[in-house]
Amino acid sequence: MNKKTIITLLLVIMAMAGQAQTKVRLHGTAQADAKTVYFIKDLNSSEIIDSTAVTAGKWKYEVELPRGQYMLVMVSDASRREQDMEGLVAIMADTTLTEIDLTTGTVKGSKATEAMNSTVKGFIACMTMQPTEGVDPKVEAMKLMRRAVMDNLDSMLPLYFVPMMADGLPVGDLQRIFYEGAPYADLPDMQEAKWRLAFLSGQSPRSIGKTFIDLTMNDIDGKPHRLSEWCGKGRYVLIDFWASWCGPCRAEMPNVVACYEKYHDKGLDIIGISFDAKKDAWLQAIDQLKMPWIHLSDLAAWNSIAAKTYEIRAIPANILLDGEGRIIDIDLRDNLLDERLAEIFGSER
């Protein structure tokens, strides 16, 4: 992924809504040879919307921004010449006096402004790093964005990151994001996430509060089993939808294994439901990934009765049931799964 693509995908800088104008006051430093600080419309730097002069490494900027402009992105002419992404700064457009150092890319301002800048820089770093064993740059980027959003729900910051990760947010996060009176709730870029919350909270067979739907599938020995043999029997059950051919599923599995080992004795069972079509590949993956729980499949791939019953359109996916067989959360991945289970069973010490 090249730098231009990364920046283009990162944020949509302008969002329109009926809000009063915001008076922004900025001051700071720039490189010794900088003459100008540019304010740009988006992170692709394709449209300069304003500029201010640099004198002896110092600059300041005051402006009343138009309705709906909740962010400013800036870069010095020196950083642009060097194509230095570290010199780019992104801030929330609020009334807090903000100090910006374009030589280091750091800011001192409101809590949301500081979170925005550090998250943007962290996101860029994640997307330009090479994957290593145990570290997925996309997962790390998601963690950064989620933390920024959940820590700044009283600002417009969620407007920029929630649309990028809505599909991966659990219903609990979405409920917190769309609290009554959330200032960004009705803006166009938030509607997909808002729809997902309604979907998870209402009519879907995976909606929170619904009772699991029973079905019958074969285990690895070809013996038929019903979900009700485990679900609704007093223990918590994670129904995990996966497949041997699914790269993200395989990448997630060590995390699921760790959670199973951590919480199984405390009351957690896992039922793996595979969307495989070839039994050999299914069994080999179970062995390779060391998955010690119950495994079921009808070897029908996306035509699986499980996919149809639970409206699974993408994997990995999961459903967490309480002891009575009611759905209490879905699609918990990476640290979110452990965090949710820790809420239920308590953290190990």
Side-chain angles (χ1 to χ4, degrees):
M1 184 180 291
N2 60 43
K3 290 183 179 179
K4 184 174 181 179
T5 301
I6 292 166
I7 298 176
T8 302
L9 291 175
L10 185 59
L11 293 170
V12 177
I13 299 304
M14 301 295 289
M16 300 307 296
Q19 299 269 329
Q21 289 186 326
T22 303
K23 186 172 183 178
V24 174
R25 296 174 300 149
L26 313 175
H27 69 96
T29 56
Q31 294 87 342
D33 62 339
K35 302 297 183 185
T36 307
V37 172
Y38 295 106
F39 300 91
I40 56 180
K41 183 177 181 179
D42 58 42
L43 286 172
N44 196 28
S45 302
S46 60
E47 182 177 344
I48 296 171
I49 58 174
D50 208 348
S51 64
T52 192
V54 179
T55 303
K58 305 289 185 181
W59 61 274
K60 64 179 181 179
Y61 183 69
E62 293 188 6
V63 67
E64 286 195 1
L65 294 178
R67 294 178 181 180
Q69 187 171 340
Y70 303 115
M71 178 189 275
L72 272 176
V73 178
M74 64 207 71
V75 64
S76 70
D77 56 341
S79 290
R80 294 188 79 197
R81 287 195 304 270
E82 298 297 324
Q83 297 184 337
D84 176 20
M85 294 178 70
E86 290 298 319
L88 179 145
V89 166
I91 67 167
M92 298 302 299
D94 56 38
T95 57
T96 301
L97 179 63
T98 303
E99 181 180 344
I100 299 167
D101 186 342
L102 291 175
T103 67
T104 62
T106 57
V107 304
K108 293 180 181 179
S110 67
K111 177 170 169 281
T113 274
E114 293 182 8
M116 171 59 74
N117 190 55
S118 63
T119 303
V120 166
K121 290 185 176 300
F123 188 99
I124 292 173
C126 287
M127 292 299 98
T128 53
M129 70 186 290
Q130 294 298 316
T132 59
E133 184 176 354
V135 179
D136 184 334
K138 292 182 180 179
V139 170
E140 295 305 310
M142 284 285 289
K143 289 179 183 178
L144 287 171
M145 291 189 292
R146 177 179 178 269
R147 188 180 305 119
V149 166
M150 304 312 292
D151 287 346
N152 292 277
L153 295 176
D154 58 346
S155 74
M156 296 303 292
L157 182 146
L159 175 65
Y160 298 98
F161 295 120
V162 169
M164 299 173 65
M165 58 178 181
D167 287 347
L169 289 173
V171 68
D173 281 359
L174 289 168
Q175 287 171 338
R176 289 175 60 196
I177 289 166
F178 289 104
Y179 64 90
E180 185 176 355
Y184 42 74
D186 294 327
L187 297 180
D189 285 349
M190 298 294 282
Q191 295 316 297
E192 183 175 345
K194 201 172 183 180
W195 174 86
R196 176 173 164 80
L197 173 59
F199 171 80
L200 297 180
S201 303
Q203 302 304 313
S204 168
R206 295 193 293 147
S207 292
I208 306 303
K210 290 203 171 182
T211 300
F212 80 98
I213 302 171
D214 208 3
L215 53 80
T216 301
M217 305 180 84
N218 291 343
D219 66 12
I220 60 175
D221 297 317
K223 180 181 178 180
H225 288 277
R226 299 185 67 81
L227 292 180
S228 53
E229 294 176 37
W230 300 276
C231 303
K233 301 295 186 182
R235 290 172 64 85
Y236 285 79
V237 177
L238 182 76
I239 304 177
D240 190 45
F241 303 94
W242 73 292
S244 66
W245 46 260
C246 169
C249 300
R250 298 181 72 108
E252 174 67 11
M253 210 54 70
N255 177 57
V256 182
V257 171
C259 287
Y260 180 83
E261 293 175 348
K262 190 174 181 179
Y263 299 108
H264 176 61
D265 290 343
K266 294 185 176 184
L268 174 70
D269 289 326
I270 296 179
I271 302 173
I273 294 184
S274 171
F275 292 169
D276 274 284
K278 297 179 180 179
K279 186 172 183 178
D280 287 347
W282 175 40
L283 299 182
Q284 185 179 51
I286 293 171
D287 181 63
Q288 289 175 338
L289 297 170
K290 296 179 172 56
M291 303 152 65
W293 48 82
I294 301 298
H295 291 278
L296 305 175
S297 181
D298 53 14
L299 298 176
W302 284 110
N303 290 319
S304 169
I305 187 175
K308 297 175 182 177
T309 300
Y310 285 100
E311 296 182 356
I312 305 296
R313 298 182 175 89
I315 52 176
N318 57 49
I319 300 171
L320 182 62
L321 307 175
D322 67 11
E324 297 181 1
R326 289 190 299 262
I327 299 172
I328 58 173
D329 220 325
I330 74 167
D331 295 341
L332 296 165
R333 301 176 193 167
D334 195 63
N335 60 306
L336 295 181
L337 178 59
D338 182 67
E339 288 176 7
R340 188 68 170 95
L341 294 174
E343 291 175 3
I344 296 168
F345 299 112
S347 299
E348 286 191 341
R349 298 194 181 274

